[in-house]
Amino acid sequence: MKLSTKSRYGLRALANLIGQDCCCSVSKISKEEHISSDYLEKIFVKLKKAGVLKVERGAAGGYTLSRDPSQITLKEVIDSLEKAEFSCPSICNCQSKSVYQQIQSGFSQVLNSITLDHLTDSQNKLTYFDYAASTPIDPQVLSTMLPYFDFSYSGNSSSLHQFGLKSAQAIEDSRVIFSKILNSKPEEIIFTASATESNNTVLKGVAFANKDKGKHILISSIEHDCVRESARWLKTQGFEITEIPVDKDGLVDFQFLEKNIRPDTILVSVIHGNNEIGTIQDILKIGKICHDRGVYFHTDASQSFTKVTIDVQKDNIDFLTASSHKIYGPKGVALLYIKSGSNITPLLHGGGHEFGIRSSTVNTPLVVGFAKAAQIAIDQMDQENSRLTQLRDYLIKNILKNIPNTHLNGSAKFRLSNNVNISFDKIEGESLQLSLDLYGIAVSTGSACSSHSLEPSHVLSAIGQKPEQAHSSIRFSLGRFTTKSQIDYLLKILPGEVSKLRKLSPFK
Amino acid sequence: MTTLVGYSKKVLEHFKNPHNFGSMKNPTALGQVGNPACGDVMKLYLKITKNKSGQDFIKDIKFETMGCAAAIATSSVVTDLAKNKTLDDALKLDNKDVIEALEYLPDIKIHCSLLAIDALNEAIFNYYQQTNHSISESLQKKHDRITVCQTRINH
């Protein structure tokens, strides 16, 4: 038993309706929630029949709740739309019947205990705009993972008995899913514990395996800290690092790249979708330059994976990093694509798991969850991208329009569908972050005030921002559970909080 | 991108409802410290008059701050602590008093409490300079340190 689309849409529409000041037409809600108006009309007619909704007549008329939201339970709503039943599929009176009855009664109890105002509470009181930092796990992913914690999957995937083989099979099936998404061979996918680990493995592993060829590495000036810090450490080991500059949109300078690939260059590492400003690099072009010059190309696709199509063969990628917890999968698992035949030394030595590249017992449930998350994300990529792009552009447009002295950071055109990064002049980012947090709105800042270094973000500095602008930046990152009404809530709170902080500032 | 540090209830209170904020018309003295490049700038306005015993005292104090929540809270607290104090007593305040009044400050925010005390010292220094009042060695040293700090930050 699971909620069908009808119930989900019904609940979403009701939550939206509660957020409206008065009665509301079907067409308005259908537009805001991206539900077809015919379908929504049918849902509303049923809800009206069941006494959940009523219709106000007149010019300002429309649908409205018949009672206070705290008086309407989810059970009532779902029952009026479909039969919320968890019944035994068998008609006979077997032993399982009582189990199903128990589940049904628990199910009804839960639905009876949740009212519509709970629904809007979670919508308004906790408004998460930090999906680029981490995403909540998709319930479908979680339920896919759970059986893999059972005894039958508890074997070590490198053991040859049935327990081990079952785990091994689940991991190999997952590898196939990723290889299809990336257009690679399954054995080119290595599972690791984090994107940080994948990036460390590439930087250090390629450096040490190829030091006879040369000790020069190129990275972009807007890499994630795990690439930057790995490169910085390699410097202490005698490697030479050159940073490729970016333009004001955050796009790497191809001419600089071409000019600075030398005979002793062994690796170029450029982040695909930037984590702070969302700029998407032309990896096809970078891959071609590297391929033509015979240099390995690594891209950190932690933010872009399943948001932008990646074809490792067409894009000439030798190494690629992707992470699970950015795509509604569990934390603690990531992947590294390694083109077959590439020369790389492992970081972890041991039992030779993952084709000898990453010794460690593979965590079967996490890998399975990661693969499921990737499959879901890829299946809905186009639809989700267009939904998020609309919401993103709506948010950007309204901030820039309604709040003076605000600027969009990063490229307007080559941008992740879920990233909004804005500088609010004369304000320190952390204080705005905290102001919003007090309203239950979670965002992220490029300000250094909340970090140990007190240095402003290197990414914002790299796109030419002065330190004071960099300190004033806020990143809003959207995701699968972001709705237009959440964005409207943010847009309602934001101008007042910005002007409050500006009033405190000595700079007018 | 980093997340919020843990703030005490008191810091949040001062952040939400700062005391004595805004500019002041015709202040007797001004103290400004910090640098926008570092994300923190504090400006203190003092109105100084004589009390009944003829000592200089801070009759009114206002602040304007661009900075993180801790910078705003420490500014607000320092105005509370200094208000109605004689200049001699105000100069005895140090950042421990500020931290104590806020219950707790995370390690990486301790510099905000120092900045707030610096701003107060600078405002008093500014007043002494205007009035040709003698300046103690320790206040002169503090002023020199603050000035050097800011020049270094500027370059």
Side-chain angles (χ1 to χ4, degrees):
Chain A
M1 165 76 216
K2 58 179 178 185
L3 290 187
S4 76
T5 312
K6 200 183 278 169
S7 287
R8 262 193 315 117
Y9 281 4
L11 291 172
R12 236 167 73 191
L14 287 173
N16 183 307
L17 194 60
I18 296 168
Q20 305 283 346
D21 293 335
C22 55
C23 341
C24 201
S25 68
V26 168
S27 68
K28 182 159 188 259
I29 294 178
S30 109
K31 230 190 214 160
E32 289 183 3
E33 296 292 333
H34 301 279
I35 302 170
S36 107
S37 60
D38 286 353
Y39 194 44
L40 190 61
E41 182 75 52
K42 278 182 196 150
I43 291 176
F44 274 15
V45 166
K46 282 191 169 187
L47 289 172
K48 187 177 161 242
K49 230 182 214 169
V52 173
L53 291 178
K54 62 180 179 187
V55 175
E56 296 282 341
R57 310 233 167 252
Y63 279 100
T64 182
L65 287 181
S66 61
R67 278 163 288 149
D68 190 79
S70 65
Q71 303 298 316
I72 302 171
T73 66
L74 291 205
K75 175 136 198 327
E76 194 180 342
V77 173
I78 294 167
D79 274 346
S80 59
L81 293 175
E82 57 193 310
K83 208 129 183 68
E85 225 167 46
F86 197 97
S87 56
C88 179
S90 153
I91 45 163
C92 69
N93 266 326
C94 58
Q95 283 111 318
S96 63
K97 200 115 196 166
S98 71
V99 177
Y100 279 95
Q101 276 164 358
Q102 276 180 43
I103 295 173
Q104 172 61 35
S105 106
F107 189 71
S108 302
Q109 243 174 39
V110 171
L111 288 181
N112 257 327
S113 68
I114 307 173
T115 59
L116 283 184
D117 62 340
H118 285 96
L119 216 63
T120 49
D121 271 359
S122 59
Q123 268 208 329
N124 287 336
K125 287 189 182 153
L126 285 172
T127 313
Y128 190 71
F129 291 110
D130 207 11
Y131 287 87
S134 195
T135 56
I137 193 162
D138 186 298
Q140 282 184 74
V141 170
L142 185 60
S143 57
T144 304
M145 284 168 67
L146 288 175
Y148 291 88
F149 288 101
D150 283 354
F151 199 147
S152 57
Y153 282 98
S154 60
N156 190 317
S157 60
S158 48
S159 303
L160 289 176
H161 45 62
Q162 290 183 43
F163 294 87
L165 293 178
K166 260 185 108 170
S167 293
Q169 189 58 52
I171 291 163
E172 293 322 305
D173 291 347
S174 304
R175 232 187 278 286
V176 169
I177 291 177
F178 288 108
S179 69
K180 282 185 182 152
I181 294 174
L182 290 169
N183 193 23
S184 74
K185 295 176 216 151
E187 62 271 24
E188 291 175 319
I189 305 293
I190 305 297
F191 294 113
T192 67
S194 65
T196 294
E197 186 196 325
S198 295
N199 286 339
N200 270 262
T201 305
V202 174
L203 271 272
K204 295 170 187 173
V206 168
F208 281 90
N210 298 277
K211 62 178 189 301
D212 290 340
K213 188 201 165 200
K215 291 187 135 188
H216 181 235
I217 293 170
L218 282 151
I219 65 170
S220 87
S221 55
I222 57 168
E223 292 304 300
H224 188 273
D225 276 344
C226 59
V227 168
R228 279 172 80 78
E229 290 302 315
S230 296
R232 198 203 296 249
W233 180 80
L234 283 170
K235 256 192 201 173
T236 68
Q237 304 299 308
F239 290 88
E240 195 188 332
I241 310 293
T242 304
E243 280 195 11
I244 314 160
V246 294
D247 65 11
K248 65 170 184 17
D249 282 348
L251 292 160
V252 297
D253 182 337
F254 298 121
Q255 276 187 334
F256 183 96
L257 172 63
E258 288 204 77
K259 260 193 229 157
N260 283 274
I261 295 179
R262 317 186 306 216
D264 64 337
T265 305
I266 49 176
L267 176 69
V268 173
S269 183
V270 176
I271 188 167
H272 187 202
N274 184 268
N275 53 312
E276 289 188 35
I277 54 174
T279 301
I280 301 168
Q281 303 294 337
D282 185 349
I283 47 169
L284 181 68
K285 194 159 174 184
I286 301 170
K288 186 165 187 321
I289 294 172
C290 295
H291 183 71
D292 289 351
R293 304 285 293 272
V295 177
Y296 285 139
F297 170 43
H298 166 242
T299 189
D300 173 3
S302 299
Q303 296 289 344
S304 60
F305 181 61
T306 68
K307 293 191 189 78
V308 183
T309 306
I310 300 171
D311 179 329
V312 289
Q313 296 191 44
K314 198 173 117 220
D315 295 334
N316 284 302
I317 297 169
D318 299 295
F319 304 96
L320 176 138
T321 297
S323 176
S324 161
H325 77 108
K326 308 286 190 195
I327 61 166
Y328 313 91
K331 293 172 179 60
V333 61
L335 69 78
L336 175 58
Y337 155 79
I338 301 179
K339 189 180 185 170
S340 52
S342 303
N343 198 11
I344 182 166
T345 298
L347 284 188
L348 303 178
H349 298 90
H353 308 75
E354 298 298 283
F355 314 103
I357 296 294
R358 205 258 184 186
S359 288
S360 287
T361 299
V362 183
N363 191 328
T364 314
L366 294 192
V367 165
V368 168
F370 181 18
K372 178 71 181 177
Q375 193 61 60
I376 294 171
I378 276 292
D379 289 346
Q380 49 179 247
M381 183 170 83
D382 292 341
Q383 199 191 347
E384 184 65 353
N385 269 341
S386 79
R387 186 184 80 91
L388 286 177
T389 304
Q390 264 185 28
L391 289 176
R392 177 197 73 187
D393 293 343
Y394 173 76
L395 178 59
I396 294 174
K397 194 183 93 190
N398 280 287
I399 293 178
L400 298 183
K401 191 177 83 185
N402 298 334
I403 307 177
N405 302 314
T406 48
H407 320 274
L408 177 69
N409 298 317
S411 167
K413 193 173 165 200
F414 305 106
R415 188 175 199 98
L416 291 170
S417 56
N418 70 332
N419 175 290
V420 176
N421 188 310
I422 306 267
S423 281
F424 297 84
D425 288 354
K426 317 291 183 209
I427 283 185
E428 202 284 320
E430 193 228 83
S431 51
L432 184 54
Q433 183 189 26
L434 183 62
S435 299
L436 294 174
D437 192 46
L438 296 173
Y439 284 92
I441 299 173
V443 301
S444 180
T445 171
S447 146
C449 254
S450 45
S451 78
H452 287 268
S453 68
L454 297 183
E455 296 280 325
S457 136
H458 68 272
V459 174
L460 296 171
S461 303
I463 60 170
Q465 292 220 339
K466 292 189 186 129
E468 52 266 45
Q469 288 174 299
H471 284 299
S472 74
S473 78
I474 292 282
R475 178 187 69 186
F476 308 88
S477 48
L478 321 181
R480 190 172 292 165
F481 308 105
T482 306
T483 59
K484 174 145 182 304
S485 55
Q486 288 175 347
I487 293 199
D488 284 329
Y489 176 61
L490 169 66
L491 286 169
K492 200 169 91 187
I493 303 294
L494 195 57
E497 293 308 301
V498 170
S499 89
K500 197 178 146 196
L501 290 169
R502 281 183 175 159
K503 266 185 208 145
L504 284 178
S505 170
F507 305 105
K508 305 293 177 202
Chain B
M1 298 266 161
T2 36
T3 49
L4 291 178
V5 293
Y7 282 130
S8 70
K9 245 176 127 179
K10 267 269 181 293
V11 170
L12 291 180
E13 271 172 37
H14 279 274
F15 172 66
K16 277 194 273 188
N17 297 304
H19 306 169
N20 307 308
F21 80 90
S23 62
M24 186 189 283
K25 270 186 192 163
N26 308 318
T28 325
L30 264 181
Q32 182 169 329
V33 294
N35 186 306
C38 306
D40 289 316
V41 176
M42 284 182 196
K43 193 171 182 180
L44 280 188
Y45 301 84
L46 303 187
K47 185 139 296 174
I48 298 167
T49 54
K50 302 268 183 221
N51 65 10
K52 281 175 195 160
S53 345
Q55 292 167 302
D56 288 327
F57 93 110
I58 299 171
K59 192 174 175 227
D60 196 13
I61 181 165
K62 286 256 161 108
F63 84 87
E64 287 180 316
T65 292
M66 184 195 82
C68 62
I72 290 168
T74 55
S75 311
S76 168
V77 149
V78 94
T79 60
D80 280 352
L81 291 173
K83 201 168 181 175
N84 294 323
K85 275 205 170 60
T86 64
L87 296 191
D88 288 344
D89 285 345
L91 283 172
K92 283 180 199 147
L93 290 170
D94 71 10
N95 77 310
K96 289 195 194 78
D97 300 313
V98 173
I99 296 170
E100 206 173 288
L102 288 172
E103 286 165 357
Y104 164 79
L105 265 187
D107 281 353
I108 60 165
K109 300 294 182 181
I110 299 292
H111 73 275
C112 295
S113 65
L114 292 164
L115 210 57
I117 291 295
D118 281 354
L120 181 63
N121 284 330
E122 277 298 278
I124 297 175
F125 183 90
N126 173 253
Y127 174 71
Y128 283 167
Q129 258 191 337
Q130 288 174 43
T131 53
N132 290 323
H133 188 286
S134 68
I135 290 168
S136 73
E137 201 181 322
S138 71
L139 185 59
Q140 182 67 48
K141 263 192 189 156
K142 275 181 198 161
H143 170 75
D144 292 345
R145 177 182 55 79
I146 294 163
T147 318
V148 168
C149 259
Q150 286 188 19
T151 336
R152 193 166 22 173
I153 290 164
N154 279 324
H155 291 99

